[in-house]
Amino acid sequence: MRASEFHLSTTREIPAGAETISHQLMLRAGMIRQLASGLYTWLPLGLRVLRRVEQIVREEMDRSGALELLMPVVQPAELWQESGRWEQYGPELLRFSDRHERPFCLGPTHEEVITDLFRREIRSHRQLPVNFYQIQTKFRDEIRPRFGVMRAREFLMKDAYSFHLDKDCLDRTYQTMHATYTRIFTRLGLNFRAVHADSGSIGGSFSHEFHVLADSGEDAIAFSTQGNYAANVELAVALPPADPRAAPTRPMAEVAPGTANGPRVTVHWMMGRDGNPVGLVLREEHSLNEIKAEKLPQLSAPLRRVTPEDWARLGQGNPAAGLPGADMALIADHAAAALADFVWPGHSDGPVWAGVNWGRDLPEPVVVDLRNVVPGDRSPDGEGTLEIARGIEVGHIFQLGTKYSAALNAQVLDEAGQNRVVTMGCYGIGVSRVVAAAIEQNHDERGIRWPLALAPFQVALAPLQYTKSAAVREATDALYAELQSVGVTVLLDDRNLRPGVMFADLELIGIPHRIVISERTLSGGQVEYQARHEENACLVDRADILPLLQSALNPPER
Ligand code: ATP
Ligand code: MG
């Protein structure tokens, strides 16, 4: 591609309102433009990258045996009513009516549509297992669209749905998808982790998220320093302390906050299922994991903090004004339950209670895992300790079980000729989010540093005096033709810019390999070569440039 014939549209300024590096760089490099909140146009440069992701995803899905199809964006409400999600999904589901006043929605995901297709299309267990996928536009009316295409309202997803007669067969496809995702993100050249995850609102019992590691990631993920354990912090298990609780050594006393000695606890008062407050007790240095708390049978779901109005209605003062009596329900995190002689909080600047002990001054609590893990915790797999990193969720695989197949009555005839409800899995990749995540992980102060697999062009040709020097032009055109003939994607920068401006542009858009062609080096039979991730350029004999690029562009299989 000649730059003069391509829409390159770069800017130096940091665009207003773009908080993350990837959003800034995608705008500055001219990859995307915002149409409205959460809606983006992919410019030719950006689209080339998006297509690279799509292609790798498609190749690996095909290799896994999955079958590509394409479903509509617009979905009839009846299917969502059948699954129960018309009521459950909330305002992320954009609903509207057609001219006949029939209700529809824009698909945020396609479980209903694929299950409907399945029940009309597949009759026999002999047609199973089957895994259908599509690469298609989703719409979710996100409450806070942000970070550009990272959390957009309209975005591109690869979604796959598998159907099975039994759980064993689902397990096998799930493993295949796990391996397929690992291949995909490895081929994309990304540093990622597959982590155990909460199944969230889609439901089902078993799931993994694939995260691209980047400091700006919205999720915290915990992984073992030595073992294989990796989990979203939302879900990561905090083991009980290795040592048992010590015996009390001190009497309890009411003291001024500054003078209290000993480990401190914090108490989160939540509304219990029976309408009475429940105190969740954690060590002060630990934070409450609301996902774990939400699963407690004693608490109301969704979680609700006890408000001052609740206390007044219950005829009780703020419990922080005194130690809870024997009638108050307390649930302690393992680490808090293992404390002796601890400090119980008081009012904001009132006295606190020091030397407090379970079983003596407070009832013995119910003891559970309630907290977020912290770095240095023992790894749940017994191997080493936990480390915490930030991650961007780019993929998610779930075992759905029969949630949708039962609701929509998707059955096949089994070997005995009996109708059986099928078991399902679903597997998503945020294709457009991958582009932003790749930039979050691969950039420097000069711009994007594309992993080779994602680069919009593999090589940039940067001639000096292209229009003025016949020698430069001939050498450049010859190299351009030669590279194209061996299938290398090349951007020839024939825009006649000053060298500094041209180089800055090529670095901003992140092309992995750059060749500068000038009269000065040509006179010695050489060109100048620089990889995007290297600090300096080097001179290379003209005859050696093709082999050099070919080996750089075709690294040995990992
Ligand atoms: P998140 O927790 O980020 O909202 P999710 O759990 O809602 O994600 P899924 O329903 O599992 O996401 O969708 C599959 C994939 O689609 C996600 O792993 C993510 O990569 C991508 N994705 C989800 N929401 C968006 C969005 N608003 N913009 C871009 N990509 C998205
Ligand atoms: Mg979401």
Side-chain angles (χ1 to χ4, degrees):
M1 181 64 67
R2 286 175 184 270
S4 61
E5 294 163 9
F6 191 66
H7 180 71
L8 274 189
S9 176
T10 56
T11 55
R12 302 279 149 250
E13 301 80 50
I14 295 177
E19 293 167 57
T20 51
I21 289 285
S22 59
H23 191 193
Q24 292 169 7
L25 289 173
M26 289 181 82
L27 290 168
R28 286 185 50 205
M31 293 178 64
I32 53 168
R33 293 290 178 251
Q34 182 177 322
L35 171 66
S37 172
L39 305 178
Y40 290 88
T41 295
W42 289 80
L43 294 177
L45 183 74
L47 189 62
R48 289 180 73 97
V49 181
L50 190 66
R51 293 285 184 247
R52 303 283 305 151
V53 182
E54 240 186 278
Q55 189 186 339
I56 289 174
V57 169
R58 182 173 281 118
E59 281 172 17
E60 293 300 332
M61 289 303 293
D62 289 347
R63 184 206 293 259
S64 79
L67 304 173
E68 187 170 5
L69 47 60
L70 186 58
M71 293 179 269
V73 177
V74 173
Q75 307 184 4
E78 293 94 85
L79 284 179
W80 287 73
Q81 282 154 354
E82 235 184 306
S83 74
R85 284 208 291 185
W86 189 253
E87 279 73 41
Q88 286 159 19
Y89 211 90
E92 261 188 36
L93 188 65
L94 185 65
R95 304 154 207 246
F96 58 94
S97 296
D98 70 3
R99 64 168 80 204
H100 307 294
E101 295 301 321
R102 289 191 205 103
F104 286 88
C105 62
L106 290 185
T109 175
H110 278 69
E111 283 81 7
E112 281 82 358
V113 175
I114 194 77
T115 309
D116 176 63
L117 179 85
F118 180 92
R119 68 181 169 185
R120 294 161 189 272
E121 200 69 27
I122 307 255
R123 292 270 164 268
S124 159
H125 70 94
R126 279 189 298 273
Q127 294 165 282
L128 300 187
V130 64
N131 189 6
F132 291 118
Y133 80 98
Q134 63 177 345
I135 297 177
Q136 187 252 17
T137 298
K138 297 285 181 277
F139 190 93
R140 295 181 182 180
D141 204 351
E142 296 273 354
I143 184 163
R144 272 220 296 155
R146 60 199 158 131
F147 311 151
V149 299
M150 191 84 86
R151 185 169 295 286
R153 295 199 294 171
E154 188 176 305
F155 59 97
L156 194 62
M157 196 199 286
K158 184 285 296 177
D159 46 330
Y161 307 87
S162 67
F163 297 86
H164 313 266
L165 205 52
D166 57 42
K167 168 91 164 86
D168 278 356
C169 182
L170 169 60
D171 282 342
R172 284 192 295 277
T173 297
Y174 188 86
Q175 288 312 324
T176 303
M177 280 299 103
H178 193 293
T180 298
Y181 277 36
T182 301
R183 286 189 63 89
I184 289 171
F185 295 116
T186 303
R187 277 188 65 186
L188 288 169
L190 299 171
N191 181 11
F192 69 96
R193 291 278 189 293
V195 307
H196 291 285
D198 189 66
S199 305
S201 72
I202 293 198
S205 50
F206 195 48
S207 92
H208 283 86
E209 290 169 359
F210 286 74
H211 284 262
V212 166
L213 300 186
D215 293 337
S216 58
E218 285 188 285
D219 289 278
I221 61 179
F223 50 93
S224 158
T225 48
Q226 281 153 49
N228 287 324
Y229 185 83
N232 198 308
V233 165
E234 288 179 347
L235 199 77
V237 176
L239 293 181
D243 299 326
R245 183 198 295 167
T249 63
R250 291 197 281 148
M252 185 178 75
E254 219 179 307
V255 299
T259 64
N261 290 320
R264 289 167 182 265
V265 297
T266 44
V267 189
H268 302 261
W269 288 101
M270 297 290 176
M271 198 47 94
R273 190 148 293 177
D274 63 1
N276 290 312
V278 178
L280 304 182
V281 186
L282 286 98
R283 289 191 65 141
E284 191 180 48
E285 60 271 38
H286 289 152
S287 60
L288 176 67
N289 181 311
E290 299 204 349
I291 296 202
K292 293 176 182 175
E294 192 135 74
K295 289 178 183 150
L296 292 176
Q298 296 92 332
L299 300 187
S300 76
L303 278 189
R304 189 162 85 69
R305 284 184 189 267
V306 181
T307 62
E309 296 75 49
D310 291 326
W311 289 115
R313 184 169 42 77
L314 292 161
Q316 285 162 319
N318 186 333
L323 271 191
D327 55 330
M328 295 295 273
L330 295 178
I331 303 180
D333 177 64
H334 288 293
L339 294 177
D341 299 327
F342 56 90
V343 180
W344 186 271
H347 263 314
S348 47
D349 46 353
V352 298
W353 285 264
V356 178
N357 283 279
W358 298 111
R360 186 189 75 180
D361 313 314
L362 290 169
E364 280 294 343
V366 173
V367 184
V368 295
D369 174 14
L370 265 184
R371 66 180 176 95
N372 289 314
V373 295
V374 293
D377 278 346
R378 288 188 295 141
S379 178
D381 63 0
E383 308 211 22
T385 56
L386 291 179
E387 215 172 286
I388 295 183
R390 308 292 311 173
I392 300 168
E393 183 196 319
V394 288
H396 203 166
I397 59 178
F398 297 91
Q399 295 202 355
L400 290 172
T402 55
K403 180 171 170 165
Y404 297 94
S405 48
L408 274 74
N409 205 25
Q411 303 187 343
V412 294
L413 289 174
D414 67 10
E415 277 161 17
Q418 301 289 315
N419 267 316
R420 287 249 300 268
V421 170
V422 290
T423 290
M424 293 172 61
C426 79
Y427 320 93
I429 290 182
V431 174
S432 45
R433 182 181 285 183
V434 165
V435 176
I439 297 174
E440 288 295 331
Q441 196 175 73
N442 298 280
H443 65 268
D444 60 18
E445 64 295 341
R446 292 175 291 169
I448 304 168
R449 274 168 44 169
W450 289 116
L452 201 49
L454 286 174
F457 299 96
Q458 296 165 313
V459 175
L461 292 184
L464 306 186
Q465 309 285 357
Y466 182 75
T467 47
K468 296 211 185 95
S469 160
V472 167
R473 184 202 296 258
E474 274 161 30
T476 303
D477 288 352
L479 190 51
Y480 182 54
E482 202 176 323
L483 288 171
Q484 286 190 314
S485 74
V486 293
V488 176
T489 56
V490 193
L491 182 71
L492 193 179
D493 198 340
D494 57 351
R495 293 176 299 169
N496 253 327
L497 300 174
R498 281 186 291 116
V501 176
M502 171 166 66
F503 297 163
D505 261 4
L506 296 174
E507 286 174 339
L508 173 61
I509 66 181
I511 301 181
H513 302 282
R514 185 187 76 192
I515 295 163
V516 179
I517 301 128
S518 67
E519 272 187 347
R520 188 173 55 80
T521 60
L522 279 180
S523 62
Q526 292 180 310
V527 294
E528 197 186 282
Y529 165 77
Q530 186 172 357
R532 177 65 181 82
H533 63 268
E534 279 165 5
E535 270 314 304
N536 298 304
C538 58
L539 288 175
V540 180
D541 283 345
R542 170 64 179 84
D544 295 338
I545 198 71
L546 191 62
L548 181 149
L549 282 175
Q550 280 179 313
S551 72
L553 296 176
N554 302 298
E557 281 264 321
R558 279 197 260 181

